[in-house]
Amino acid sequence: MENEATLILIKPDGLKKSLTGNILTRLSETKLEIVASKMVRVSRELAAVHYQHLADKPFFEDVLKYLMGEFHDRRKVMALVYWGEGASVKCRSLAGSTNPEEADPVSIRGSYGRITTRGVYENVIHVSAHAQDAEREIKLWFDPDEIIVNLFPTRTVVETKEKRAWL
Ligand code: IDP
Ligand code: MG
C-alpha cells in the first residue's frame, strides 16, 4: 500500500459525548502519523461542499445540520489529517460501516454511534473514502500551511486580507 493522507472529522456528537480521547486512542492503532489538526466552526457552505455527493438525498438537509452542530449545541468539529500507508482503508476499518446499527459493534461507529428518531446516522466520525476523496476534502478543510508535510502541489499567492493579531 502507498503512503497517502486521509481526512478525519470528529463530528459534533463525538465532541458532545466526550469521545475525542477514545477516538484518537483507537485511531493510534493504525500507527499513522497526524500531520494536521484543528477545531473548525462549520459553515453551511463548507458542510454542503463536503457532502456534495449527498445533495439529492432526502436526508441531505439533516446531514448538513448534523455536521454544523445544530443537533448537539456544539458548533464545531475537530478536523485531522492522518498520513501513512493505506490511511483511508485503515481508518475506515476502525470507524466501521456508515450505518452505526450495522457497524461492527467493536468499531468506533458501532460502539458510539446511533440512529436518531429523525433518522440521521449519528456516527461520530468522518473518514475519507479513498485517496482521491481525501485530496478533495483535505484541500477543502485545510490550507497548505496548516499541514506539516507537503501533501499536494502548491502555488504562492500574495494576500492582502485583514486578519486578527494578538494585542
Ligand atoms: P461515510 O460517512 O461512511 O463515508 P457517506 O455515504 O459519505 O458515508 O454519508 C455521509 C454521512 O451522511 C454519513 O456518515 C452519515 O452521517 C450520513 N448518512 C449517510 N447515509 C445516510 C442514511 O441513509 N440516512 C441517514 N444519514 C445518512
Ligand atoms: Mg463519505
Side-chain angles (χ1 to χ4, degrees):
M1 270 188 282
E2 264 181 68
N3 282 335
E4 57 171 47
T6 198
L7 177 77
I8 303 283
L9 301 176
I10 302 183
K11 296 179 178 181
D13 53 327
L15 297 176
K16 185 159 186 175
K17 291 174 172 172
S18 202
L19 292 171
T20 306
N22 301 42
I23 291 167
L24 297 184
T25 300
R26 295 296 302 277
L27 291 174
S28 71
E29 288 169 29
T30 61
K31 309 272 174 63
L32 297 167
E33 196 183 331
I34 298 173
V35 294
S37 76
K38 63 177 176 180
M39 303 303 299
V40 184
R41 211 171 284 287
V42 182
S43 68
R44 204 192 152 72
E45 292 68 36
L46 176 58
V49 179
H50 179 76
Y51 281 139
Q52 65 186 19
H53 63 293
L54 302 174
D56 59 351
K57 301 279 193 235
F59 53 82
F60 184 57
E61 191 55 40
D62 272 0
V63 163
L64 298 191
K65 285 189 182 150
Y66 169 35
L67 197 64
M68 291 165 69
E70 289 192 10
F71 297 136
H72 296 91
D73 226 18
R74 291 275 193 294
R75 284 168 211 287
K76 61 190 174 191
V77 304
M78 187 173 189
L80 305 101
V81 178
Y82 278 70
W83 187 84
E85 222 177 87
S88 290
V89 167
K90 284 180 180 167
C91 292
R92 276 184 87 86
S93 152
L94 284 175
S97 306
T98 305
N99 179 335
E101 285 185 1
E102 287 173 2
D104 183 335
V106 300
S107 67
I108 295 168
R109 287 168 164 180
S111 302
Y112 304 120
R114 65 167 191 155
I115 301 179
T116 66
T117 46
R118 290 173 69 102
V120 183
Y121 293 179
E122 285 187 2
N123 53 13
V124 175
I125 60 168
H126 166 82
V127 184
S128 306
H130 43 70
Q132 210 179 332
D133 263 14
E135 178 170 351
R136 183 188 80 87
E137 293 173 359
I138 290 166
K139 288 176 174 175
L140 186 61
W141 288 81
F142 287 92
D143 280 334
D145 287 338
E146 295 177 310
I147 303 173
I148 59 154
V149 291
N150 289 322
L151 293 179
F152 312 114
T154 55
R155 64 200 160 96
T156 303
V157 290
V158 181
E159 275 201 60
T160 48
K161 212 168 77 183
E162 262 184 35
K163 65 166 198 174
R164 294 194 304 159
W166 302 120
L167 272 180

